[in-house]
Amino acid sequence: MKNFEFCAPTRMIFGRDTHLQVGKIIKEYGFQKVLVHFGGNSARKSGLLDTVVRALEEEQIDHVLLGGVQPNPTLSMARRGIRLCREEQVDFILAVGGGSVIDSAKCIADGVANPDVDVWKYFMKEAVPEKALPVGTILTLSATGSEMSNSCVITNEETGLKRGCGSPAHRPLFSICNPELTYTVSKFQTGCGTVDIIMHTLERYMGDSEGVSVTDRIAEGIMKSVIEAGRIADASPRDYEARACLMWSGSLSHNDLTSAGRTFLMQVHQMEHELSGKYPQIAHGAGLSALWPSWARYVCACRPSRFAQYAVRVWNLEMNFENILETAMAGIQATEDYFVSLGMPVTLRQLGVSEDALEEMADKCTGHGSRTLPGIRELSRDDLVAIYRAAMGEA
Ligand code: NZQ
Ligand code: ZN
């Protein structure tokens, strides 16, 4: 087991009706003015936004609203939020939504707390935000784990670059997670979320495997539970236990618990960010399900035992001791079949990606071939092109 630090400081307030406490919770901290940040329409339509505003008013907490965050949140929206927070002297941001709203809130929080730095520098790794305005969340979609993670992912629409920035300052102060708020999430977005949660766990699982048996078992338990809960939520969107399992698993998958003691690099995530950076209409989870099977088949022979362990422990497949690679491949197939069963795409063609875009995405992901992506198999620019091409599927 490698040395590690685990710090997951976000206060998690989980369960039915918990969102009704939001006014009291913010009051406890003594914040003076809140930016309530939200997405397109779902929070308004469900009545959640009105409920939140009422909860703030009951506690006489001054607030200002900023809606309209789109999936794959943009730098221009974050800049708008930064300006608004400065004008209104906001000292706390409440994100009401999924990963996109939360990430937009985190980026605004960076910008407000560091007025001398252009926030995009953080995403280009030219600077690291050491402080940020505090952010709280009311989560409405189980997927990214942003409600507990140190990560923030933003798209610069001018350059088409989608980039992540990790900082301890990004961990929300608190996250209110009421699974009932996810009943209205569409089948498609539920599928996207299920894939994303599995991928956050599985991409870490495919990192180092030495001396991490406890971390492995945690990861396998999460994946098995999510596979089952994803199926149930797909068939019965108002099943509380399934929604609760997805919600808590989403947070645990990406708060570093499932990588404790190992190094890892999320190659498929990096490839996906190029995809939804270029095609902002592609949902993150759908990009992952379209890429992962081709990635897995490409790298599998470099560590078949790892993939075979995954096949046996997560998918309950029989180990073929004569031919471990066969077991490994069967696990990849089981994963792909599961994605299909949730209605998720498993090729880029299904997402409307053009062959012409593949080289450009590989270039962007590797700085025009100047860097490789370490992992089970170290991937060069040409490897990425080959994986993207395989992921296109049959014409
Ligand atoms: O905009 P509204 O109208 O709210 O609709 C949203 C949006 O259209 C809808 N939705 C959310 N909650 C709902 C709901 N619809 C009905 N009922 C509800 N309760 O769902 C759609 C997708 O929302 P979005 O927030 O974009 O999805 P998700 O949570 O999957 O976030 C995706 C973004 O997070 C990034 C992704 O790259 C992508 O930009 N990620 C962030 C990470 C992080 N910060 O730790 C890690 C991830 O790997 C990921 O990269
Ligand atoms: Zn993800």
Side-chain angles (χ1 to χ4, degrees):
M1 194 183 288
K2 298 237 162 74
N3 291 6
F4 68 91
E5 229 181 78
F6 178 70
C7 181
T10 303
R11 174 180 170 195
M12 300 299 283
I13 303 145
F14 194 98
R16 288 189 164 99
D17 293 334
T18 44
H19 61 296
L20 301 176
Q21 302 169 29
V22 68
K24 288 201 169 57
I25 292 167
I26 294 177
K27 187 89 177 181
E28 269 173 34
Y29 290 104
F31 297 117
Q32 301 292 314
K33 183 132 188 195
V34 176
L35 172 75
V36 180
H37 200 32
F38 55 98
N41 195 34
S42 69
R44 225 182 252 289
K45 195 169 155 205
S46 65
L48 174 61
L49 194 63
D50 287 344
T51 306
V52 169
V53 167
R54 222 173 306 122
L56 296 177
E57 281 168 358
E58 273 165 19
E59 299 296 332
Q60 281 109 37
I61 299 168
D62 205 1
H63 56 274
V64 55
L65 304 184
L66 179 61
V69 177
Q70 60 192 65
N72 299 323
T74 61
L75 181 61
S76 60
M77 170 56 90
R79 290 203 198 284
R80 230 175 103 190
I82 293 166
R83 280 195 301 275
L84 182 65
C85 286
R86 284 191 190 134
E87 281 157 23
E88 298 282 342
Q89 310 215 314
V90 162
D91 62 356
F92 181 75
I93 305 176
L94 179 66
V96 181
S100 294
V101 174
I102 300 173
D103 284 1
S104 184
K106 289 178 178 181
C107 184
I108 295 170
D110 286 341
V112 177
N114 301 282
D116 301 331
V117 185
D118 174 23
V119 276
W120 187 244
K121 286 197 169 174
Y122 298 135
F123 296 84
M124 296 309 289
K125 313 273 183 286
E126 291 165 18
V128 180
E130 271 157 28
K131 54 184 185 321
L133 219 58
V135 169
T137 83
I138 297 183
L139 184 65
T140 66
L141 201 170
S142 309
T144 63
S146 186
E147 67 278 7
M148 234 181 151
S149 81
N150 70 355
S151 162
C152 170
V153 186
I154 294 289
T155 299
N156 181 335
E157 319 93 291
E158 282 172 17
T159 58
L161 285 180
K162 181 177 187 181
R163 290 289 177 264
C165 165
S167 160
H170 284 158
R171 306 253 188 206
L173 184 62
F174 66 79
S175 283
I176 297 179
C177 301
N178 175 357
E180 291 174 317
L181 298 180
T182 65
Y183 286 172
T184 51
V185 175
S186 66
K187 263 181 187 284
F188 174 69
Q189 286 295 341
T190 300
C192 288
T194 303
V195 169
D196 198 18
I197 298 166
I198 293 172
M199 284 301 123
H200 290 160
T201 320
L202 186 52
E203 289 227 74
R204 286 174 166 87
Y205 191 79
M206 291 300 169
D208 286 346
S209 51
E210 289 295 300
V212 281
S213 61
V214 61
T215 304
D216 271 1
R217 294 292 186 182
I218 291 170
E220 289 154 3
I222 289 175
M223 287 190 278
K224 284 176 91 91
S225 302
V226 170
I227 288 164
E228 194 187 336
R231 264 193 206 115
I232 297 171
D234 181 60
S236 315
R238 300 178 71 83
D239 186 301
Y240 181 83
E241 298 306 337
R243 291 293 192 182
C245 174
L246 291 177
M247 198 167 232
W248 184 222
S249 304
S251 306
L252 296 180
S253 288
H254 203 42
N255 74 354
D256 299 338
L257 178 67
T258 58
S259 44
R262 62 169 141 238
T263 49
F264 68 102
L265 187 108
M266 299 171 85
Q267 292 179 331
V268 184
H269 263 74
Q270 296 213 12
M271 294 182 70
E272 195 296 312
H273 285 167
E274 300 309 338
L275 185 64
S276 50
K278 171 141 186 77
Y279 296 93
Q281 71 278 15
I282 293 181
H284 172 61
L288 292 173
S289 66
L291 288 171
W292 189 82
S294 297
W295 169 85
R297 291 187 178 107
Y298 195 82
V299 306
C300 177
C302 292
R303 199 121 63 88
S305 58
R306 193 72 186 150
F307 279 89
Q309 177 179 308
Y310 163 70
V312 171
R313 293 197 190 165
V314 176
W315 293 101
N316 306 320
L317 300 178
E318 286 271 318
M319 177 70 89
N320 179 348
F321 289 99
E322 313 284 293
N323 188 345
I324 287 179
L325 188 59
E326 192 184 281
T327 311
M329 286 295 187
I332 296 169
Q333 190 59 50
T335 312
E336 185 175 51
D337 292 346
Y338 177 70
F339 292 165
V340 171
S341 78
L342 296 181
M344 299 309 293
V346 287
T347 67
L348 295 180
R349 208 171 295 280
Q350 289 169 278
L351 291 170
V353 172
S354 149
E355 294 268 359
D356 301 340
L358 308 183
E359 303 235 351
E360 179 192 332
M361 293 192 296
D363 274 336
K364 281 183 173 167
C365 200
T366 58
H368 294 273
S370 65
R371 69 171 192 126
T372 54
L373 276 56
I376 281 186
R377 174 167 172 182
E378 191 168 347
L379 299 177
S380 67
R381 178 203 173 276
D382 291 348
D383 291 321
L384 296 196
V385 174
I387 296 170
Y388 279 131
R389 191 149 283 140
M392 283 299 288
E394 302 281 310

